[in-house]
Amino acid sequence: MSEEKEKIVLKTAPFDNRFPNTNQTKNCWQNYVDYQRCIKAKGEDFEACQYFKRIYRIMCPNHWVEQWDEQVENGTFAGRI
Amino acid sequence: MKDFIKNVYCSLIRDANEPWQLGFQDAGSPVMEEIIMLHDQILFILTIIVGVVLWLIIRILLGNNYYSYYWNKLDGSLIEVIWTLIPAFILILIAFPSLRLLYIMDECGFSANITIKVTGHQWYWSYSYEDYGEKNIEFDSYMIPTADLELGDLRLLEVDNRLILPVDTNVRVLITAADVLHSWTVPSLAVKMDAVPGRINETGFLIKRPGIFYGQCSEICGANHSFMPIVVESVSLSKYIDWIGREDL
C-alpha cells in the first residue's frame, strides 16, 4: 500500500488561457487533435506528445475518445490532422 | 428505540434536504458560506425596507400630522431626491457583493488539483478519475431502490457508488451528458451545472469538512429524473490517496 501511496501525485491538467470559460469542449478537442498531429509528425513514442494525451484524457469524456479513436482509425475523423 | 435513534442520527449527520426545509443546507464549501452570507445580508436589508415602508404607510393612512396624506401632496424636490438616492445606494450595496461572489464562483478551474469527469445518463451518473496516469478509475452511480435501503439510509438519495473526494483540495468537475440534458447539483457545495450532450461544462469546489453531501438531478431528463441522485463523500487526503491506490475498476 505504501508503495502505491508514493506513486500517486495530486496533479491535474493546468488552467489553459485559451479556454477561460465554462465551456471546455474546445479544450478537449484541441488537445486531442494536437496529440494526433504530434504523433503523425513525430511518432507515438515521442515524449512531448504524451503531454497532449494526458490533457485530453483528463478533459475529454471517455465515450468521446473511444468514438474519435475509431474515426481516426477509419479515416473519418472530422479534424484536420 | 435503538433503531429509531440510529435512523434520526444518520439523517442528522448527512448533508441532505429535509421535509419542510425553508433555509439552505449547511455549507460544505467556502462558496456556499459566502452565498448564505449574501442571502442573509440581502434579507437584513429587505427587512429594514419592509419595516420602514410599512411604518410610513400606517402613519400616512392613520395619522393626522406631519406625515399625513395631505402633507406635501403637490410636490417635494427634497423627498424625491432622497427616495431616489437611498434605493440606488441600497442596490449598489447588494450588487457589488453579488458580483464579487459571481466572479469567485467562476474561478474554479484556475488552481485545480483534481479533475473529475461526470457524465449524465438516463438515469444514472457515471464518474471518472483520469489524473493518475494509466490508472483509470471509472464507475457508474445508481440510486439504491427503497426496498434495498438499510436503516438510516435516505430514501431516493442513496447510491451504490459514491463520488469520493478529499477535503481542502480544489476539485475541477467536468460535466457532460450522453443522451439528454441533466444537471449535476449538490446544494451544500454550491454546485449546479447543466450536463449537455456534446458539450463539456466546467465547475469546481473545495470541500471544507469530511461528510456525505447529497444532491439530485435538477434538469427534467425523462421518466426516472427523480431517481438519479448524487452523493459526494468527502474524506481526508490520506484516505483519498489510499482509496485511489486500492481502487481497481
Side-chain angles (χ1 to χ4, degrees):
Chain A
M1 184 58 69
S2 59
E3 281 172 23
E4 282 282 358
K5 237 182 184 176
E6 282 162 24
K7 281 183 206 165
I8 292 166
V9 181
L10 288 187
K11 196 178 163 199
T12 189
F15 174 72
D16 191 333
N17 283 309
R18 297 172 297 172
F19 313 104
N21 302 315
T22 301
N23 186 356
Q24 291 293 309
T25 318
K26 200 75 196 294
N27 189 353
C28 146
W29 167 265
Q30 194 61 53
N31 279 290
Y32 185 82
V33 172
D34 284 346
Y35 174 70
Q36 297 300 335
R37 285 175 185 163
C38 185
I39 57 170
K40 191 179 175 192
K42 299 283 185 181
E44 268 189 54
D45 298 331
F46 192 64
E47 210 186 315
C49 299
Q50 298 309 310
Y51 176 81
F52 298 118
K53 187 178 183 183
R54 183 166 178 273
I55 303 296
Y56 86 66
R57 279 197 57 190
I58 291 172
M59 301 300 294
C60 298
N62 296 346
H63 63 284
W64 291 16
V65 174
E66 283 164 22
Q67 264 181 12
W68 290 344
D69 284 345
E70 263 177 45
Q71 289 168 359
V72 168
E73 229 171 80
N74 300 332
T76 55
F77 185 67
R80 269 191 304 147
I81 297 172
Chain B
M1 188 63 186
K2 198 178 158 190
D3 289 352
F4 175 75
I5 291 169
K6 189 184 173 192
N7 216 352
V8 171
Y9 175 73
C10 288
S11 307
L12 285 177
I13 59 162
R14 293 172 185 191
D15 291 89
N17 48 8
E18 54 192 60
W20 300 99
Q21 182 174 331
L22 291 176
F24 291 111
Q25 293 177 30
D26 292 341
S29 72
V31 170
M32 191 60 203
E33 283 175 358
E34 293 283 326
I35 288 175
I36 292 173
M37 203 178 284
L38 179 72
H39 168 267
D40 292 351
Q41 281 172 0
I42 293 172
L43 215 61
F44 175 71
I45 293 168
L46 205 71
T47 311
I48 293 173
I49 292 170
V50 169
V52 169
V53 170
L54 276 178
W55 177 70
L56 282 173
I57 288 172
I58 291 166
R59 287 297 297 264
I60 287 167
L61 289 179
L62 301 181
N64 185 20
N65 51 33
Y66 193 69
Y67 299 102
S68 68
Y69 181 71
Y70 294 103
W71 177 75
N72 238 345
K73 66 176 177 178
L74 293 176
D75 72 286
S77 306
L78 181 65
I79 192 72
E80 295 219 12
V81 168
I82 290 171
W83 73 37
T84 304
L85 287 182
I86 290 179
F89 178 71
I90 291 171
L91 286 177
I92 289 169
L93 219 64
I94 294 172
F96 276 96
S98 175
L99 281 172
R100 176 182 154 269
L101 189 53
L102 200 64
Y103 283 105
I104 288 173
M105 290 166 81
D106 207 30
E107 285 179 8
C108 53
F110 285 3
S111 53
N113 301 112
I114 292 173
T115 302
I116 306 295
K117 290 188 284 189
V118 178
T119 307
H121 301 264
Q122 282 179 316
W123 289 275
Y124 61 95
W125 294 98
S126 59
Y127 301 107
S128 173
Y129 303 66
E130 303 277 348
D131 285 343
Y132 312 108
E134 293 306 310
K135 196 174 175 64
N136 170 21
I137 299 173
E138 199 177 357
F139 56 85
D140 297 333
S141 181
Y142 283 89
M143 187 193 77
I144 297 177
T146 306
D148 299 341
L149 289 177
E150 288 178 12
L151 194 67
D153 283 354
L154 301 172
R155 192 178 74 91
L156 304 185
L157 286 177
E158 299 293 343
V159 295
D160 53 359
N161 292 307
R162 292 169 175 167
L163 177 65
I164 310 286
L165 290 172
V167 292
D168 295 329
T169 309
N170 284 310
V171 180
R172 175 200 282 138
V173 187
L174 298 169
I175 299 160
T176 189
D179 34 49
V180 298
L181 286 177
H182 300 274
S183 183
W184 198 78
T185 306
V186 186
S188 289
L189 304 177
V191 183
K192 176 177 279 179
M193 183 58 75
D194 274 10
V196 184
R199 174 179 163 130
I200 304 165
N201 279 334
E202 182 186 60
T203 186
F205 48 77
L206 181 144
I207 306 177
K208 281 196 77 174
R209 57 186 165 84
I212 305 167
F213 304 94
Y214 292 81
Q216 286 171 303
C217 178
S218 300
E219 183 69 54
I220 296 284
C221 59
N224 287 343
H225 161 66
S226 311
F227 310 122
M228 48 181 294
I230 297 135
V231 185
V232 177
E233 183 175 344
S234 62
V235 296
S236 66
L237 194 57
S238 59
K239 279 187 181 164
Y240 172 77
I241 290 171
D242 279 351
W243 178 77
I244 290 288
R246 261 202 325 268
E247 206 66 21
D248 197 17
L249 296 166

